[in-house]
Amino acid sequence: MIYKNVLLTGAAGLLGTVLRRRLAPQVAKLRSTDIADMADPAANEELVKADLGDLSAAQKLVDGMDAIVHFGGLSKETDFGSICRVNIAGFQSLYEAAHLAGVKRIVFASSVHAIGFYDQTEVIDAHAPTRPDSNYGIAKVFGEGLAQLYWDKFGLETVSIRIGSCEAKPSNRRHLLSWLSFDDMCQIVERSLTVPRVKHTIIYGASRNSATFWDNRYAAHIGYRPQDSADDYRNEILAADPLPDREDVVNRFQGGIFTRWNMLPQSTEEPTG
Ligand code: 15L
């Protein structure tokens, strides 16, 4: 790893918790932050509770850091106001603070939902136009745009990982194509902090699944070699769902359930005219 001091955001989340354990032994200092409580710091780990929507907090978080692994923010679809405050404005604050503090590289947890409206039968690479499927997906597209801007204007490098479905094990038919194991996710992050030059690279985060909708040719320099495969779970997944509804968007689009028009709970406010 070429960076000594690394900030990890979203450190109390599912993936953040895995990353804390993996990154701490590989860096001089790990600063782990989240709005939620964290426990049991490693000897070289500092735990900081902070709200990513707060600019002054961002300035303190990045102080003295060489690189950032940004897995923070809202991780599900929700109302645009919340997404805007945390995943859009909050991320902009983090980038600006990182640039002013001289941070060299950011690894950004982007998502399949930046391109969720591609059909599951299409194979796309990193040059395909974005097709966000939700407020959450729009914010991921914004994040990738921010990463490109800060590279072009200031030379701050980013690897944007369009994470598929990063869970302990795949559990539905879409996951046969989108699943990313925890170990493979960690490998992408580690490689992203190791290779000497990344500019702004977009990499698709999937394991070595034999079925895929993604082509990682433009991220070959990252040297990612996935070790796990959703194929190991294929029989149990097909047996659990032998007759899938082919008209359901969950089985049509790469973004799965996020492409449903009524995914959000219905508003309780009265219409105003
Ligand atoms: C994501 O980006 C979400 O954070 C995660 O909760 C999953 O829904 C995943 O996408 C997915 O689509 O499988």
Side-chain angles (χ1 to χ4, degrees):
M1 207 151 284
I2 56 179
Y3 301 101
K4 281 198 207 148
N5 300 328
V6 174
L7 170 69
L8 170 66
T9 72
L14 177 69
L15 307 190
T17 303
V18 172
L19 281 167
R20 276 182 64 195
R21 283 194 293 269
R22 283 286 283 258
L23 291 176
Q26 303 184 62
V27 298
K29 177 175 178 178
L30 181 66
R31 181 176 292 156
S32 296
T33 184
D34 205 293
I35 198 165
D37 289 326
M38 295 157 286
D40 304 324
N44 61 342
E45 186 182 20
E46 187 188 343
L47 303 181
V48 184
K49 204 168 164 179
D51 179 355
L52 279 183
D54 175 355
L55 174 59
S56 62
Q59 286 165 340
K60 284 188 204 131
L61 286 172
V62 300
D63 187 43
M65 295 291 111
D66 306 311
I68 302 173
V69 177
H70 180 52
F71 275 57
L74 301 164
S75 65
K76 296 250 183 305
E77 176 64 334
T78 187
D79 66 282
F80 186 69
S82 305
I83 290 279
C84 201
R85 190 182 78 81
V86 183
N87 290 20
I88 294 183
F91 195 22
Q92 199 280 336
S93 301
L94 189 70
Y95 255 91
E96 184 60 14
H99 156 57
L100 295 175
V103 170
K104 301 284 181 292
R105 190 174 293 181
I106 296 180
V107 181
F108 165 46
S110 185
S111 167
V112 50
H113 300 293
I115 46 83
F117 262 115
Y118 280 97
D119 198 279
Q120 292 184 7
T121 60
E122 287 180 83
V123 176
I124 55 170
D125 61 32
H127 290 182
T130 53
R131 292 178 77 170
D133 59 20
S134 49
N135 297 327
Y136 173 77
I138 287 172
K140 295 299 184 185
V141 172
F142 173 84
E144 292 181 5
L146 203 57
Q148 190 65 46
L149 172 67
Y150 275 75
W151 163 251
D152 287 333
K153 202 168 246 186
F154 304 116
L156 171 50
E157 293 191 308
T158 298
V159 177
S160 294
I161 312 172
R162 285 185 182 162
I163 298 175
S165 306
C166 192
E167 300 181 12
K169 54 182 264 198
S171 57
N172 60 46
R173 283 178 174 258
R174 174 174 156 270
H175 288 175
L176 291 173
L177 298 96
S178 65
W179 185 60
L180 174 66
S181 71
F182 292 151
D183 280 349
D184 285 342
M185 179 273 294
C186 288
Q187 189 201 137
I188 301 178
V189 173
E190 287 160 359
R191 296 294 309 160
S192 299
L193 293 173
T194 302
V195 294
R197 190 166 156 79
V198 300
K199 303 183 187 174
H200 174 219
T201 298
I202 292 174
I203 183 167
Y204 287 97
S207 282
R208 201 166 41 86
N209 315 324
S210 58
T212 184
F213 21 62
W214 297 326
D215 174 348
N216 257 334
R217 77 176 82 180
Y218 295 111
H221 54 282
I222 300 292
Y224 168 53
R225 298 280 175 272
Q227 300 300 310
D228 299 314
S229 173
D231 298 9
D232 297 341
Y233 304 88
R234 173 175 289 274
N235 291 345
E236 65 184 82
I237 287 172
L238 298 189
D241 185 17
L243 290 172
D245 175 2
R246 294 200 303 189
E247 297 310 310
D248 189 336
V249 292
V250 166
N251 297 314
R252 278 178 54 204
F253 295 114
Q254 297 189 9
I257 198 170
F258 280 58
T259 62
R260 281 199 180 139
W261 68 269
N262 59 350
M263 193 197 164
L264 278 178
Q266 294 301 301
S267 168
T268 49
E269 285 177 24
E270 290 293 322
T272 52

